[in-house]
Amino acid sequence: QINKANKAASEKGNDEIIQILIMHNGIKDRSFEDCTKLNHILIPSYIKSIGVNSFCGCSNLTEINIPSSVTFIGDLAFQNCISLKKVEIPSSVTSIGNGTFSGCSSLSDLKIPSNLKSIGNNAFWSCSSLTEMSIPLRVTIIHDYTFFECTSLSKVMIPYQIKEIGSFAFWGCCKIKQLLIPSSLVSIGNYAFAGCTLISELSIPSSVKKIGNSVFERCSLLSKISIKPPISQFGESAFSGCSALVQITIPSSVLAIDEAAFWSCTSLVDVEIPTSVKSIGDNAFWGCISLKEISIPSSVTSIGEYAFFGCSSLTKVNINGYLKSIGKYAFSECFELDEIEIPSTTIEIGENAFQK
């Protein structure tokens, strides 16, 4: 019985419970939590559920069979099973809960059923041995932190019906080289692909309405990106630290260039700001040392603090129309900028805006 197994595990300090045959129709919550010497478990074919935290912290568990009778696997069920290498989830299971396999750093062989409908937050957090993932067609949302720090993940197939990619979903997946974003996608959450250092090219379809903060931060090999309208916003630091990015055309639907959007994009030579943009945020192009020329359209009414700070190759700035304010240090340390014409509509210039 489960309760007897729990009692035995507790009394023996989890050291002698090595192999257990479960005799119950469900594994209850926390049944074998932190049974650190448990290395193998046989689950009979009449088991229907695996409870919350049921095998959490079983650090020597190397394999587990999940029979086709199981229809439910609880949150954190196998969290921190650091020796678990292989898992096959049967088609009877239609959802993977929050944090189910988080911290399973040895998990390299994972088979999930094609009829799976949902994958929870943190489901595969820090599964650092996982190399590939094909997300089933019925899944429509990739939740927050789902593949966070899966540092060996090099191949991921995002199906065409995905509508949302959550915050930190693929943060630190530094082996992903190719990323195909489906035309069904509507939003990309904060830091979703931050630190994916091998992605070199991206195309963001017209279905995407919003890109969150720091989405592609530190994607240091990203050199080419296509963003299609009618996207209206990409968040703060969206492309900061994309040091290989050479050129970007901002869609005509974008209303503002947010704070630090292109911070330290050191290879950025050419950027086109459309007439839809009304403001350029603080630090927007900070440290873009290869940028030589910029044209500010008449729609822009404010340039934020440090917006072009340290753009040391900038030689020409065209300001058209109705600019009202220039923030402090906006063009400071632009050593090659000798001349700039400020429109008569400008009523505020911050301190050291043009300091060299």
Side-chain angles (χ1 to χ4, degrees), residues 280-287 302-311 314 317 323 325-334 337 340 349-355:
I280 298 173
D282 297 348
N283 303 289
F285 296 94
W286 187 101
S302 66
I303 298 174
E305 298 175 1
Y306 297 86
F308 295 92
F309 180 92
C311 293
L314 193 63
V317 176
L323 186 69
S325 66
I326 300 173
K328 64 181 182 180
Y329 295 94
F331 294 93
S332 183
E333 298 194 15
C334 294
L337 185 62
I340 185 170
I349 299 175
E351 62 178 307
N352 300 314
F354 301 96
Q355 184 186 54

PDB file of all heavy atoms in Angstrom, residues 280-287 302-311 314 317 323 325-334 337 340 349-355:
ATOM      1  N   ILE A 280      11.103  57.910 -29.182  1.00  0.00           N
ATOM      2  CA  ILE A 280      12.278  57.048 -29.092  1.00  0.00           C
ATOM      3  C   ILE A 280      12.692  57.027 -27.635  1.00  0.00           C
ATOM      4  O   ILE A 280      12.991  58.069 -27.038  1.00  0.00           O
ATOM      5  CB  ILE A 280      13.429  57.569 -29.988  1.00  0.00           C
ATOM      6  CG1 ILE A 280      12.980  57.566 -31.460  1.00  0.00           C
ATOM      7  CG2 ILE A 280      14.681  56.720 -29.803  1.00  0.00           C
ATOM      8  CD1 ILE A 280      13.976  58.219 -32.409  1.00  0.00           C
ATOM      9  N   GLY A 281      12.667  55.847 -27.033  1.00  0.00           N
ATOM     10  CA  GLY A 281      12.846  55.720 -25.594  1.00  0.00           C
ATOM     11  C   GLY A 281      14.271  55.888 -25.109  1.00  0.00           C
ATOM     12  O   GLY A 281      15.230  55.937 -25.895  1.00  0.00           O
ATOM     13  N   ASP A 282      14.422  55.949 -23.796  1.00  0.00           N
ATOM     14  CA  ASP A 282      15.730  56.059 -23.157  1.00  0.00           C
ATOM     15  C   ASP A 282      16.627  54.893 -23.595  1.00  0.00           C
ATOM     16  O   ASP A 282      16.167  53.737 -23.673  1.00  0.00           O
ATOM     17  CB  ASP A 282      15.590  56.026 -21.634  1.00  0.00           C
ATOM     18  CG  ASP A 282      14.793  57.195 -21.086  1.00  0.00           C
ATOM     19  OD1 ASP A 282      14.546  58.154 -21.837  1.00  0.00           O
ATOM     20  OD2 ASP A 282      14.401  57.132 -19.900  1.00  0.00           O
ATOM     21  N   ASN A 283      17.885  55.203 -23.877  1.00  0.00           N
ATOM     22  CA  ASN A 283      18.891  54.174 -24.193  1.00  0.00           C
ATOM     23  C   ASN A 283      18.556  53.343 -25.429  1.00  0.00           C
ATOM     24  O   ASN A 283      19.131  52.263 -25.619  1.00  0.00           O
ATOM     25  CB  ASN A 283      19.092  53.216 -23.008  1.00  0.00           C
ATOM     26  CG  ASN A 283      19.491  53.915 -21.734  1.00  0.00           C
ATOM     27  OD1 ASN A 283      20.602  54.413 -21.608  1.00  0.00           O
ATOM     28  ND2 ASN A 283      18.555  53.960 -20.787  1.00  0.00           N
ATOM     29  N   ALA A 284      17.635  53.813 -26.261  1.00  0.00           N
ATOM     30  CA  ALA A 284      17.129  53.003 -27.376  1.00  0.00           C
ATOM     31  C   ALA A 284      18.246  52.481 -28.275  1.00  0.00           C
ATOM     32  O   ALA A 284      18.236  51.319 -28.686  1.00  0.00           O
ATOM     33  CB  ALA A 284      16.120  53.791 -28.192  1.00  0.00           C
ATOM     34  N   PHE A 285      19.213  53.329 -28.609  1.00  0.00           N
ATOM     35  CA  PHE A 285      20.326  52.929 -29.483  1.00  0.00           C
ATOM     36  C   PHE A 285      21.670  53.125 -28.767  1.00  0.00           C
ATOM     37  O   PHE A 285      22.694  53.350 -29.415  1.00  0.00           O
ATOM     38  CB  PHE A 285      20.281  53.722 -30.788  1.00  0.00           C
ATOM     39  CG  PHE A 285      19.053  53.456 -31.631  1.00  0.00           C
ATOM     40  CD1 PHE A 285      17.932  54.268 -31.529  1.00  0.00           C
ATOM     41  CD2 PHE A 285      19.022  52.386 -32.516  1.00  0.00           C
ATOM     42  CE1 PHE A 285      16.794  54.021 -32.296  1.00  0.00           C
ATOM     43  CE2 PHE A 285      17.895  52.133 -33.283  1.00  0.00           C
ATOM     44  CZ  PHE A 285      16.778  52.943 -33.166  1.00  0.00           C
ATOM     45  N   TRP A 286      21.661  53.012 -27.479  1.00  0.00           N
ATOM     46  CA  TRP A 286      22.882  53.208 -26.669  1.00  0.00           C
ATOM     47  C   TRP A 286      23.995  52.280 -27.152  1.00  0.00           C
ATOM     48  O   TRP A 286      23.805  51.068 -27.310  1.00  0.00           O
ATOM     49  CB  TRP A 286      22.552  52.909 -25.210  1.00  0.00           C
ATOM     50  CG  TRP A 286      23.622  53.212 -24.205  1.00  0.00           C
ATOM     51  CD1 TRP A 286      23.684  54.297 -23.390  1.00  0.00           C
ATOM     52  CD2 TRP A 286      24.761  52.398 -23.869  1.00  0.00           C
ATOM     53  NE1 TRP A 286      24.788  54.218 -22.581  1.00  0.00           N
ATOM     54  CE2 TRP A 286      25.471  53.070 -22.852  1.00  0.00           C
ATOM     55  CE3 TRP A 286      25.247  51.183 -24.336  1.00  0.00           C
ATOM     56  CZ2 TRP A 286      26.646  52.555 -22.300  1.00  0.00           C
ATOM     57  CZ3 TRP A 286      26.421  50.673 -23.796  1.00  0.00           C
ATOM     58  CH2 TRP A 286      27.103  51.356 -22.782  1.00  0.00           C
ATOM     59  N   GLY A 287      25.156  52.862 -27.419  1.00  0.00           N
ATOM     60  CA  GLY A 287      26.321  52.046 -27.759  1.00  0.00           C
ATOM     61  C   GLY A 287      26.285  51.387 -29.119  1.00  0.00           C
ATOM     62  O   GLY A 287      27.035  50.425 -29.350  1.00  0.00           O
ATOM     63  N   SER A 302       9.559  63.078 -29.206  1.00  0.00           N
ATOM     64  CA  SER A 302      10.520  63.044 -28.089  1.00  0.00           C
ATOM     65  C   SER A 302      11.609  61.999 -28.327  1.00  0.00           C
ATOM     66  O   SER A 302      11.343  60.919 -28.844  1.00  0.00           O
ATOM     67  CB  SER A 302       9.802  62.743 -26.767  1.00  0.00           C
ATOM     68  OG  SER A 302       9.258  61.431 -26.777  1.00  0.00           O
ATOM     69  N   ILE A 303      12.823  62.378 -27.951  1.00  0.00           N
ATOM     70  CA  ILE A 303      13.972  61.482 -27.963  1.00  0.00           C
ATOM     71  C   ILE A 303      14.424  61.343 -26.517  1.00  0.00           C
ATOM     72  O   ILE A 303      14.724  62.344 -25.852  1.00  0.00           O
ATOM     73  CB  ILE A 303      15.114  62.022 -28.849  1.00  0.00           C
ATOM     74  CG1 ILE A 303      14.640  62.128 -30.309  1.00  0.00           C
ATOM     75  CG2 ILE A 303      16.345  61.137 -28.746  1.00  0.00           C
ATOM     76  CD1 ILE A 303      15.652  62.790 -31.240  1.00  0.00           C
ATOM     77  N   GLY A 304      14.459  60.131 -26.016  1.00  0.00           N
ATOM     78  CA  GLY A 304      14.707  59.899 -24.603  1.00  0.00           C
ATOM     79  C   GLY A 304      16.154  60.083 -24.173  1.00  0.00           C
ATOM     80  O   GLY A 304      17.064  60.282 -24.995  1.00  0.00           O
ATOM     81  N   GLU A 305      16.363  59.977 -22.890  1.00  0.00           N
ATOM     82  CA  GLU A 305      17.690  60.121 -22.300  1.00  0.00           C
ATOM     83  C   GLU A 305      18.620  59.013 -22.803  1.00  0.00           C
ATOM     84  O   GLU A 305      18.208  57.856 -22.917  1.00  0.00           O
ATOM     85  CB  GLU A 305      17.595  60.059 -20.775  1.00  0.00           C
ATOM     86  CG  GLU A 305      16.747  61.177 -20.181  1.00  0.00           C
ATOM     87  CD  GLU A 305      16.551  61.042 -18.677  1.00  0.00           C
ATOM     88  OE1 GLU A 305      17.100  60.082 -18.090  1.00  0.00           O
ATOM     89  OE2 GLU A 305      15.847  61.890 -18.093  1.00  0.00           O
ATOM     90  N   TYR A 306      19.854  59.399 -23.133  1.00  0.00           N
ATOM     91  CA  TYR A 306      20.887  58.453 -23.570  1.00  0.00           C
ATOM     92  C   TYR A 306      20.468  57.665 -24.829  1.00  0.00           C
ATOM     93  O   TYR A 306      21.020  56.607 -25.100  1.00  0.00           O
ATOM     94  CB  TYR A 306      21.235  57.464 -22.454  1.00  0.00           C
ATOM     95  CG  TYR A 306      21.838  58.080 -21.209  1.00  0.00           C
ATOM     96  CD1 TYR A 306      21.025  58.574 -20.197  1.00  0.00           C
ATOM     97  CD2 TYR A 306      23.217  58.165 -21.060  1.00  0.00           C
ATOM     98  CE1 TYR A 306      21.574  59.144 -19.052  1.00  0.00           C
ATOM     99  CE2 TYR A 306      23.774  58.723 -19.915  1.00  0.00           C
ATOM    100  CZ  TYR A 306      22.942  59.209 -18.919  1.00  0.00           C
ATOM    101  OH  TYR A 306      23.496  59.766 -17.783  1.00  0.00           O
ATOM    102  N   ALA A 307      19.516  58.181 -25.585  1.00  0.00           N
ATOM    103  CA  ALA A 307      18.958  57.429 -26.716  1.00  0.00           C
ATOM    104  C   ALA A 307      20.031  56.999 -27.715  1.00  0.00           C
ATOM    105  O   ALA A 307      20.003  55.870 -28.218  1.00  0.00           O
ATOM    106  CB  ALA A 307      17.878  58.248 -27.412  1.00  0.00           C
ATOM    107  N   PHE A 308      20.980  57.889 -28.029  1.00  0.00           N
ATOM    108  CA  PHE A 308      22.049  57.564 -28.973  1.00  0.00           C
ATOM    109  C   PHE A 308      23.424  57.722 -28.310  1.00  0.00           C
ATOM    110  O   PHE A 308      24.426  57.942 -28.991  1.00  0.00           O
ATOM    111  CB  PHE A 308      21.943  58.461 -30.210  1.00  0.00           C
ATOM    112  CG  PHE A 308      20.682  58.234 -31.011  1.00  0.00           C
ATOM    113  CD1 PHE A 308      19.541  58.989 -30.771  1.00  0.00           C
ATOM    114  CD2 PHE A 308      20.622  57.248 -31.984  1.00  0.00           C
ATOM    115  CE1 PHE A 308      18.375  58.778 -31.498  1.00  0.00           C
ATOM    116  CE2 PHE A 308      19.463  57.030 -32.717  1.00  0.00           C
ATOM    117  CZ  PHE A 308      18.335  57.789 -32.468  1.00  0.00           C
ATOM    118  N   PHE A 309      23.457  57.577 -27.036  1.00  0.00           N
ATOM    119  CA  PHE A 309      24.700  57.733 -26.276  1.00  0.00           C
ATOM    120  C   PHE A 309      25.768  56.747 -26.785  1.00  0.00           C
ATOM    121  O   PHE A 309      25.507  55.560 -26.968  1.00  0.00           O
ATOM    122  CB  PHE A 309      24.445  57.474 -24.791  1.00  0.00           C
ATOM    123  CG  PHE A 309      25.666  57.609 -23.914  1.00  0.00           C
ATOM    124  CD1 PHE A 309      25.965  58.814 -23.308  1.00  0.00           C
ATOM    125  CD2 PHE A 309      26.516  56.532 -23.706  1.00  0.00           C
ATOM    126  CE1 PHE A 309      27.083  58.942 -22.499  1.00  0.00           C
ATOM    127  CE2 PHE A 309      27.631  56.647 -22.908  1.00  0.00           C
ATOM    128  CZ  PHE A 309      27.930  57.858 -22.303  1.00  0.00           C
ATOM    129  N   GLY A 310      26.953  57.263 -27.028  1.00  0.00           N
ATOM    130  CA  GLY A 310      28.067  56.386 -27.405  1.00  0.00           C
ATOM    131  C   GLY A 310      28.007  55.857 -28.825  1.00  0.00           C
ATOM    132  O   GLY A 310      28.732  54.911 -29.147  1.00  0.00           O
ATOM    133  N   CYS A 311      27.158  56.454 -29.672  1.00  0.00           N
ATOM    134  CA  CYS A 311      27.140  56.062 -31.092  1.00  0.00           C
ATOM    135  C   CYS A 311      28.319  56.784 -31.752  1.00  0.00           C
ATOM    136  O   CYS A 311      28.157  57.813 -32.426  1.00  0.00           O
ATOM    137  CB  CYS A 311      25.816  56.430 -31.745  1.00  0.00           C
ATOM    138  SG  CYS A 311      24.412  55.484 -31.111  1.00  0.00           S
ATOM    139  N   LEU A 314      28.488  57.919 -35.509  1.00  0.00           N
ATOM    140  CA  LEU A 314      27.372  58.699 -36.041  1.00  0.00           C
ATOM    141  C   LEU A 314      27.862  60.046 -36.569  1.00  0.00           C
ATOM    142  O   LEU A 314      28.425  60.853 -35.824  1.00  0.00           O
ATOM    143  CB  LEU A 314      26.315  58.892 -34.947  1.00  0.00           C
ATOM    144  CG  LEU A 314      24.940  59.413 -35.355  1.00  0.00           C
ATOM    145  CD1 LEU A 314      24.246  58.432 -36.299  1.00  0.00           C
ATOM    146  CD2 LEU A 314      24.067  59.636 -34.106  1.00  0.00           C
ATOM    147  N   VAL A 317      22.659  63.271 -38.492  1.00  0.00           N
ATOM    148  CA  VAL A 317      21.338  63.087 -37.888  1.00  0.00           C
ATOM    149  C   VAL A 317      20.377  64.067 -38.560  1.00  0.00           C
ATOM    150  O   VAL A 317      20.600  65.283 -38.545  1.00  0.00           O
ATOM    151  CB  VAL A 317      21.360  63.343 -36.368  1.00  0.00           C
ATOM    152  CG1 VAL A 317      19.945  63.247 -35.790  1.00  0.00           C
ATOM    153  CG2 VAL A 317      22.282  62.354 -35.674  1.00  0.00           C
ATOM    154  N   LEU A 323       9.728  67.730 -33.432  1.00  0.00           N
ATOM    155  CA  LEU A 323      10.369  67.255 -32.212  1.00  0.00           C
ATOM    156  C   LEU A 323      10.230  68.297 -31.101  1.00  0.00           C
ATOM    157  O   LEU A 323      10.526  69.481 -31.301  1.00  0.00           O
ATOM    158  CB  LEU A 323      11.855  66.974 -32.475  1.00  0.00           C
ATOM    159  CG  LEU A 323      12.627  66.343 -31.328  1.00  0.00           C
ATOM    160  CD1 LEU A 323      12.169  64.905 -31.093  1.00  0.00           C
ATOM    161  CD2 LEU A 323      14.129  66.371 -31.627  1.00  0.00           C
ATOM    162  N   SER A 325      11.198  67.437 -27.538  1.00  0.00           N
ATOM    163  CA  SER A 325      12.175  67.299 -26.455  1.00  0.00           C
ATOM    164  C   SER A 325      13.287  66.321 -26.806  1.00  0.00           C
ATOM    165  O   SER A 325      13.064  65.325 -27.497  1.00  0.00           O
ATOM    166  CB  SER A 325      11.488  66.849 -25.163  1.00  0.00           C
ATOM    167  OG  SER A 325      10.959  65.545 -25.306  1.00  0.00           O
ATOM    168  N   ILE A 326      14.485  66.645 -26.319  1.00  0.00           N
ATOM    169  CA  ILE A 326      15.655  65.784 -26.438  1.00  0.00           C
ATOM    170  C   ILE A 326      16.173  65.539 -25.022  1.00  0.00           C
ATOM    171  O   ILE A 326      16.487  66.490 -24.300  1.00  0.00           O
ATOM    172  CB  ILE A 326      16.758  66.429 -27.310  1.00  0.00           C
ATOM    173  CG1 ILE A 326      16.229  66.696 -28.725  1.00  0.00           C
ATOM    174  CG2 ILE A 326      17.996  65.538 -27.362  1.00  0.00           C
ATOM    175  CD1 ILE A 326      17.196  67.491 -29.595  1.00  0.00           C
ATOM    176  N   GLY A 327      16.231  64.280 -24.610  1.00  0.00           N
ATOM    177  CA  GLY A 327      16.608  63.948 -23.249  1.00  0.00           C
ATOM    178  C   GLY A 327      18.091  64.161 -22.968  1.00  0.00           C
ATOM    179  O   GLY A 327      18.911  64.290 -23.878  1.00  0.00           O
ATOM    180  N   LYS A 328      18.432  64.153 -21.708  1.00  0.00           N
ATOM    181  CA  LYS A 328      19.834  64.367 -21.306  1.00  0.00           C
ATOM    182  C   LYS A 328      20.730  63.253 -21.855  1.00  0.00           C
ATOM    183  O   LYS A 328      20.323  62.092 -21.950  1.00  0.00           O
ATOM    184  CB  LYS A 328      19.952  64.459 -19.791  1.00  0.00           C
ATOM    185  CG  LYS A 328      19.583  63.212 -19.015  1.00  0.00           C
ATOM    186  CD  LYS A 328      19.731  63.474 -17.519  1.00  0.00           C
ATOM    187  CE  LYS A 328      19.420  62.207 -16.720  1.00  0.00           C
ATOM    188  NZ  LYS A 328      19.553  62.424 -15.260  1.00  0.00           N
ATOM    189  N   TYR A 329      21.915  63.659 -22.264  1.00  0.00           N
ATOM    190  CA  TYR A 329      22.933  62.760 -22.814  1.00  0.00           C
ATOM    191  C   TYR A 329      22.454  61.997 -24.062  1.00  0.00           C
ATOM    192  O   TYR A 329      23.025  60.974 -24.421  1.00  0.00           O
ATOM    193  CB  TYR A 329      23.404  61.748 -21.757  1.00  0.00           C
ATOM    194  CG  TYR A 329      24.131  62.372 -20.590  1.00  0.00           C
ATOM    195  CD1 TYR A 329      23.453  62.721 -19.436  1.00  0.00           C
ATOM    196  CD2 TYR A 329      25.502  62.628 -20.661  1.00  0.00           C
ATOM    197  CE1 TYR A 329      24.113  63.301 -18.358  1.00  0.00           C
ATOM    198  CE2 TYR A 329      26.176  63.208 -19.590  1.00  0.00           C
ATOM    199  CZ  TYR A 329      25.472  63.541 -18.448  1.00  0.00           C
ATOM    200  OH  TYR A 329      26.140  64.120 -17.386  1.00  0.00           O
ATOM    201  N   ALA A 330      21.409  62.502 -24.723  1.00  0.00           N
ATOM    202  CA  ALA A 330      20.812  61.783 -25.865  1.00  0.00           C
ATOM    203  C   ALA A 330      21.830  61.486 -26.963  1.00  0.00           C
ATOM    204  O   ALA A 330      21.827  60.396 -27.544  1.00  0.00           O
ATOM    205  CB  ALA A 330      19.637  62.567 -26.426  1.00  0.00           C
ATOM    206  N   PHE A 331      22.697  62.452 -27.274  1.00  0.00           N
ATOM    207  CA  PHE A 331      23.711  62.257 -28.316  1.00  0.00           C
ATOM    208  C   PHE A 331      25.118  62.432 -27.730  1.00  0.00           C
ATOM    209  O   PHE A 331      26.068  62.723 -28.461  1.00  0.00           O
ATOM    210  CB  PHE A 331      23.481  63.245 -29.462  1.00  0.00           C
ATOM    211  CG  PHE A 331      22.199  63.007 -30.223  1.00  0.00           C
ATOM    212  CD1 PHE A 331      21.032  63.675 -29.874  1.00  0.00           C
ATOM    213  CD2 PHE A 331      22.151  62.112 -31.283  1.00  0.00           C
ATOM    214  CE1 PHE A 331      19.853  63.465 -30.567  1.00  0.00           C
ATOM    215  CE2 PHE A 331      20.980  61.899 -31.982  1.00  0.00           C
ATOM    216  CZ  PHE A 331      19.826  62.566 -31.625  1.00  0.00           C
ATOM    217  N   SER A 332      25.265  62.216 -26.455  1.00  0.00           N
ATOM    218  CA  SER A 332      26.563  62.349 -25.808  1.00  0.00           C
ATOM    219  C   SER A 332      27.517  61.261 -26.291  1.00  0.00           C
ATOM    220  O   SER A 332      27.099  60.139 -26.581  1.00  0.00           O
ATOM    221  CB  SER A 332      26.396  62.260 -24.294  1.00  0.00           C
ATOM    222  OG  SER A 332      27.628  62.461 -23.639  1.00  0.00           O
ATOM    223  N   GLU A 333      28.794  61.646 -26.413  1.00  0.00           N
ATOM    224  CA  GLU A 333      29.858  60.737 -26.872  1.00  0.00           C
ATOM    225  C   GLU A 333      29.625  60.229 -28.295  1.00  0.00           C
ATOM    226  O   GLU A 333      30.074  59.144 -28.656  1.00  0.00           O
ATOM    227  CB  GLU A 333      30.074  59.581 -25.893  1.00  0.00           C
ATOM    228  CG  GLU A 333      30.532  60.048 -24.519  1.00  0.00           C
ATOM    229  CD  GLU A 333      31.059  58.950 -23.637  1.00  0.00           C
ATOM    230  OE1 GLU A 333      31.345  57.844 -24.137  1.00  0.00           O
ATOM    231  OE2 GLU A 333      31.182  59.196 -22.421  1.00  0.00           O
ATOM    232  N   CYS A 334      28.943  61.042 -29.080  1.00  0.00           N
ATOM    233  CA  CYS A 334      28.866  60.814 -30.534  1.00  0.00           C
ATOM    234  C   CYS A 334      29.998  61.643 -31.130  1.00  0.00           C
ATOM    235  O   CYS A 334      29.790  62.759 -31.613  1.00  0.00           O
ATOM    236  CB  CYS A 334      27.508  61.231 -31.085  1.00  0.00           C
ATOM    237  SG  CYS A 334      26.131  60.236 -30.482  1.00  0.00           S
ATOM    238  N   LEU A 337      29.938  63.341 -34.661  1.00  0.00           N
ATOM    239  CA  LEU A 337      28.796  64.202 -34.997  1.00  0.00           C
ATOM    240  C   LEU A 337      29.190  65.658 -34.777  1.00  0.00           C
ATOM    241  O   LEU A 337      29.340  66.112 -33.636  1.00  0.00           O
ATOM    242  CB  LEU A 337      27.588  63.831 -34.135  1.00  0.00           C
ATOM    243  CG  LEU A 337      26.267  64.547 -34.437  1.00  0.00           C
ATOM    244  CD1 LEU A 337      25.791  64.229 -35.859  1.00  0.00           C
ATOM    245  CD2 LEU A 337      25.196  64.131 -33.423  1.00  0.00           C
ATOM    246  N   ILE A 340      24.218  69.340 -36.195  1.00  0.00           N
ATOM    247  CA  ILE A 340      22.847  68.837 -36.151  1.00  0.00           C
ATOM    248  C   ILE A 340      21.894  70.031 -36.133  1.00  0.00           C
ATOM    249  O   ILE A 340      22.131  71.032 -35.439  1.00  0.00           O
ATOM    250  CB  ILE A 340      22.625  67.934 -34.910  1.00  0.00           C
ATOM    251  CG1 ILE A 340      21.238  67.320 -34.943  1.00  0.00           C
ATOM    252  CG2 ILE A 340      22.860  68.677 -33.615  1.00  0.00           C
ATOM    253  CD1 ILE A 340      21.036  66.232 -33.896  1.00  0.00           C
ATOM    254  N   ILE A 349      15.783  70.669 -24.133  1.00  0.00           N
ATOM    255  CA  ILE A 349      16.982  69.897 -24.413  1.00  0.00           C
ATOM    256  C   ILE A 349      17.651  69.583 -23.074  1.00  0.00           C
ATOM    257  O   ILE A 349      17.997  70.498 -22.315  1.00  0.00           O
ATOM    258  CB  ILE A 349      17.966  70.666 -25.330  1.00  0.00           C
ATOM    259  CG1 ILE A 349      17.289  70.965 -26.679  1.00  0.00           C
ATOM    260  CG2 ILE A 349      19.249  69.874 -25.545  1.00  0.00           C
ATOM    261  CD1 ILE A 349      18.137  71.816 -27.609  1.00  0.00           C
ATOM    262  N   GLY A 350      17.809  68.317 -22.772  1.00  0.00           N
ATOM    263  CA  GLY A 350      18.346  67.901 -21.490  1.00  0.00           C
ATOM    264  C   GLY A 350      19.830  68.195 -21.358  1.00  0.00           C
ATOM    265  O   GLY A 350      20.525  68.457 -22.332  1.00  0.00           O
ATOM    266  N   GLU A 351      20.323  68.129 -20.129  1.00  0.00           N
ATOM    267  CA  GLU A 351      21.717  68.439 -19.850  1.00  0.00           C
ATOM    268  C   GLU A 351      22.661  67.484 -20.600  1.00  0.00           C
ATOM    269  O   GLU A 351      22.388  66.296 -20.747  1.00  0.00           O
ATOM    270  CB  GLU A 351      21.990  68.359 -18.345  1.00  0.00           C
ATOM    271  CG  GLU A 351      21.761  66.987 -17.730  1.00  0.00           C
ATOM    272  CD  GLU A 351      22.103  66.978 -16.261  1.00  0.00           C
ATOM    273  OE1 GLU A 351      23.230  67.392 -15.912  1.00  0.00           O
ATOM    274  OE2 GLU A 351      21.250  66.537 -15.466  1.00  0.00           O
ATOM    275  N   ASN A 352      23.738  68.072 -21.086  1.00  0.00           N
ATOM    276  CA  ASN A 352      24.790  67.318 -21.771  1.00  0.00           C
ATOM    277  C   ASN A 352      24.269  66.472 -22.942  1.00  0.00           C
ATOM    278  O   ASN A 352      24.822  65.412 -23.253  1.00  0.00           O
ATOM    279  CB  ASN A 352      25.535  66.412 -20.788  1.00  0.00           C
ATOM    280  CG  ASN A 352      26.201  67.206 -19.664  1.00  0.00           C
ATOM    281  OD1 ASN A 352      26.846  68.230 -19.906  1.00  0.00           O
ATOM    282  ND2 ASN A 352      26.013  66.734 -18.438  1.00  0.00           N
ATOM    283  N   ALA A 353      23.219  66.937 -23.581  1.00  0.00           N
ATOM    284  CA  ALA A 353      22.595  66.183 -24.670  1.00  0.00           C
ATOM    285  C   ALA A 353      23.564  65.926 -25.818  1.00  0.00           C
ATOM    286  O   ALA A 353      23.463  64.892 -26.485  1.00  0.00           O
ATOM    287  CB  ALA A 353      21.362  66.924 -25.183  1.00  0.00           C
ATOM    288  N   PHE A 354      24.523  66.854 -26.010  1.00  0.00           N
ATOM    289  CA  PHE A 354      25.472  66.694 -27.120  1.00  0.00           C
ATOM    290  C   PHE A 354      26.915  66.707 -26.625  1.00  0.00           C
ATOM    291  O   PHE A 354      27.837  66.996 -27.390  1.00  0.00           O
ATOM    292  CB  PHE A 354      25.249  67.816 -28.149  1.00  0.00           C
ATOM    293  CG  PHE A 354      23.857  67.824 -28.718  1.00  0.00           C
ATOM    294  CD1 PHE A 354      22.887  68.661 -28.188  1.00  0.00           C
ATOM    295  CD2 PHE A 354      23.519  66.982 -29.764  1.00  0.00           C
ATOM    296  CE1 PHE A 354      21.596  68.671 -28.706  1.00  0.00           C
ATOM    297  CE2 PHE A 354      22.227  66.980 -30.289  1.00  0.00           C
ATOM    298  CZ  PHE A 354      21.264  67.816 -29.750  1.00  0.00           C
ATOM    299  N   GLN A 355      27.117  66.355 -25.406  1.00  0.00           N
ATOM    300  CA  GLN A 355      28.458  66.388 -24.819  1.00  0.00           C
ATOM    301  C   GLN A 355      29.375  65.364 -25.499  1.00  0.00           C
ATOM    302  O   GLN A 355      29.009  64.214 -25.700  1.00  0.00           O
ATOM    303  CB  GLN A 355      28.388  66.076 -23.315  1.00  0.00           C
ATOM    304  CG  GLN A 355      29.723  66.179 -22.601  1.00  0.00           C
ATOM    305  CD  GLN A 355      29.616  65.733 -21.161  1.00  0.00           C
ATOM    306  OE1 GLN A 355      29.142  64.624 -20.897  1.00  0.00           O
ATOM    307  NE2 GLN A 355      30.016  66.570 -20.236  1.00  0.00           N
TER     308      GLN A 355
END
